[in-house]
Amino acid sequence: MPNIRRTQHLGLVGILLIAVAFTGLQLTAATGRASPDTKNYLSYALSLSGESRGEAGRRAIAYSCDSGQHASLSPVPWTNRKTVGESEEQCVRRLNDSVAYWTRHGNTSGMTAPFANQRFMAIFEARPGYPLFLVPFVAVFGITWGLWLAGLVVALAGSVCVLLTLRAAGASRRAGLAGQALYLALPTGTVSMNPLSDGLSLALGTAVGLGCVLLLRDRPGKDGGSGALPGPWPVAAAGPRTGAALVAGGLALMFFVRYSQALLLAAALAGVLVLRYRWLRLKQRQFTPVLRAAGLCAGLTVGIYAGAHLLGWPMGEDSAQDLLTHHYQRPDLPNPWPEFFVQEGVFWSAWLRRQAASPILPVLLALSAWAMLRRRSVVLPIALAAGAAGLLNQAGHPNLGQLYGFRLLVFLWLVPALVIPLLLDRPARGASPVPAQPEEVGGGQRDGTVGIAHQVRERT
């Protein structure tokens, strides 16, 4: 027991050290992160806190223009947050004129300030979760530090969920800490810190991934642990019920934060798990946990789609019209899909050229593929589903203005964060390159990545 407690303390120290290092780095840029959409979420949050729509808009404009003066003039379109040569006063005047224009042209209701036409602002009205999350931070710490602290909480929460996912899947302590560090170092950490809904959606997605691992793991070990997390770790004795609660709760919350991403993640998880079920059935192996997780995700997919439809929130065709009509400022196309798919081809050909010129993501994905071939882990289908959800989200918005950014396909970056750390563990003797189901080993559990005997030796 003393050695186990000492190991647990070392693990907690490692988590805290990574969190403190990340926090220190983020203090170098407490502002300058705002994007054009930040003012929409901020005005919504200020309206929820009790301010009038007009005052909320003025404060959101003031923050956005001040943040723009601290932003670098990067050639990356989505991060280039100010017009070259535009002063803060000119920025404020431009946005106030825009608010006055759209107010005169009928945008007189809603929680967000009228920065654009009502149809475009309805996209942000359909994402109340993130503004609601911001309210206590902004109320207590003010706008600048409140948004910064909200981003920090979101980033650290997502990184801890990645660590717990790896540990619940049977990975060692060093692999879990590597996953936490990778999550914060990759664009997943950068996007989480930006004052936009993507970071909170991503953090909730990591909680959903943790829940899926608990569902696929089926049950904790007989000693109350998983074979990887003895003692008081929160997922040590967690079973399918906890996993189902995390999956359903995470996707339900994500529905109110960014429902399109929740729909894509749920659908991708259902699809990957169905394929996993069919493979296990062909191999005549235990498939009940996989079937249960696939059924839950499929049911949640239907529920998310039905909920968005019943609430009248913008759907797929609205997104296509938004892209092709420059935020609904031109007449709708009778049939937007042919032109939309032309834009898909243009975007992805440009995106592939961009990856060839700066191959960081391709290299990490290639390393992840190698890790998948060398390690068996219950986390692999979850990582694949997350990556698919990221690609699908970007495919729904083939905007060349997002070519250099990571925001829309940020879920794809979960693949290296979840998979590459598995290379730090020795493969099980005689391991198959195909992910295996968890097995009972010595009163604990393993997933083919790290055996209990290896972990005991590591702790002693």
Side-chain angles (χ1 to χ4, degrees):
M1 286 299 292
N3 286 336
I4 292 176
R5 288 177 181 172
R6 181 173 176 272
T7 300
Q8 291 165 353
H9 292 157
L10 287 174
L12 290 173
V13 168
I15 293 172
L16 291 174
L17 287 175
I18 292 172
V20 168
F22 180 77
T23 302
L25 290 173
Q26 300 311 309
L27 283 170
T28 62
T31 188
R33 302 175 187 268
S35 81
D37 289 342
T38 297
K39 62 183 182 296
N40 303 324
Y41 294 112
L42 179 57
S43 69
Y44 197 148
L46 293 171
S47 295
L48 287 173
S49 66
E51 296 191 12
S52 68
R53 192 168 182 242
E55 180 62 21
R58 283 189 289 272
R59 292 188 66 190
I61 288 173
Y63 170 79
S64 181
C65 292
D66 175 72
S67 178
Q69 298 305 303
H70 296 88
S72 62
L73 287 175
S74 167
V76 180
W78 84 280
T79 58
N80 188 8
R81 290 149 187 157
K82 71 173 180 179
T83 304
V84 177
E86 184 182 50
S87 68
E88 184 174 351
E89 292 75 16
Q90 291 171 325
C91 172
V92 170
R93 188 181 310 116
R94 172 174 57 84
L95 292 178
N96 280 328
D97 289 346
S98 178
V99 166
Y101 174 85
W102 289 112
T103 300
R104 291 195 303 269
H105 286 77
N107 189 348
T108 56
S109 62
M111 301 297 288
T112 55
F115 297 116
N117 61 76
Q118 199 160 14
R119 189 177 175 190
F120 177 70
M121 299 311 296
I123 297 172
F124 301 94
E125 296 281 343
R127 300 172 184 174
Y130 180 62
L132 187 61
F133 173 76
L134 291 179
V135 167
F137 293 96
V138 173
V140 175
F141 301 99
I143 292 178
T144 299
W145 287 104
L147 291 178
W148 180 87
L149 187 58
L152 183 67
V153 169
V154 165
L156 295 180
S159 72
V160 171
C161 281
V162 167
L163 180 145
L164 292 177
T165 299
L166 287 165
R167 295 289 273 151
S172 66
R173 183 181 69 250
R174 62 175 175 266
L177 291 173
Q180 179 193 8
L182 266 178
Y183 180 90
L184 295 174
L186 292 175
T188 42
T190 303
V191 170
S192 296
M193 286 298 302
N194 289 333
L196 294 166
S197 64
D198 308 270
L200 183 55
S201 175
L202 182 64
L204 291 169
T206 60
V208 172
L210 173 59
C212 283
V213 167
L214 295 178
L215 276 172
L216 298 180
R217 193 179 68 171
D218 194 29
R219 61 183 183 277
K222 295 177 182 177
D223 59 353
S226 68
L229 294 165
W233 280 88
V235 296
R241 290 184 180 179
T242 303
L246 282 171
V247 172
L251 286 171
L253 291 174
M254 199 192 303
F255 173 78
F256 294 101
V257 174
R258 197 178 181 90
Y259 65 92
S260 58
Q261 186 66 80
L263 177 66
L264 295 174
L265 180 60
L269 284 167
V272 170
L273 291 173
V274 165
L275 293 176
R276 173 74 174 149
Y277 153 73
R278 291 178 64 85
W279 186 86
L280 290 173
R281 191 171 182 181
L282 286 174
K283 295 294 182 179
Q284 297 183 338
R285 296 172 62 183
Q286 173 64 23
F287 56 76
T288 302
V290 179
L291 185 60
R292 180 170 55 218
L296 176 62
C297 292
L300 289 168
T301 302
V302 174
I304 291 168
Y305 182 83
H309 182 74
L310 290 173
L311 290 169
W313 287 351
M315 305 296 282
E317 185 168 344
D318 295 285
S319 180
Q321 295 285 7
D322 172 45
L323 173 69
L324 300 175
T325 62
H326 191 59
H327 305 317
Y328 310 114
Q329 295 185 51
R330 295 192 292 264
D332 281 8
L333 299 179
N335 180 13
W337 298 115
E339 179 64 23
F340 181 82
F341 288 119
V342 169
Q343 293 295 320
E344 288 280 2
V346 172
F347 175 84
W348 289 110
S349 61
W351 186 83
L352 290 173
R353 290 195 298 271
R354 170 65 183 167
Q355 301 311 307
S358 180
I360 298 174
L361 179 58
V363 168
L364 290 175
L365 291 178
L367 189 57
S368 300
W370 183 51
M372 289 180 186
L373 293 174
R374 292 181 57 85
R375 298 293 188 270
R376 295 185 302 175
S377 176
V378 74
V379 81
L380 299 183
I382 311 305
L384 288 174
L391 288 172
L392 288 171
N393 191 48
Q394 181 67 80
H397 306 81
N399 185 348
L400 287 174
Q402 302 289 341
L403 182 63
Y404 290 81
F406 315 108
R407 184 170 66 86
L408 293 180
L409 52 70
V410 67
F411 272 77
L412 181 60
W413 290 87
L414 280 178
V415 176
L418 286 169
V419 175
I420 290 177
L422 298 176
L423 290 172
L424 296 177
D425 293 335
R426 289 191 295 271
R429 187 173 299 174
S432 165
V434 184
Q437 284 297 104
E439 301 173 8
E440 288 275 331
V441 179
Q445 191 180 60
R446 66 171 172 84
D447 68 344
T449 304
V450 182
I452 299 301
H454 293 162
Q455 293 175 9
V456 171
R457 283 198 299 271
E458 184 178 276
R459 296 188 185 106
T460 57

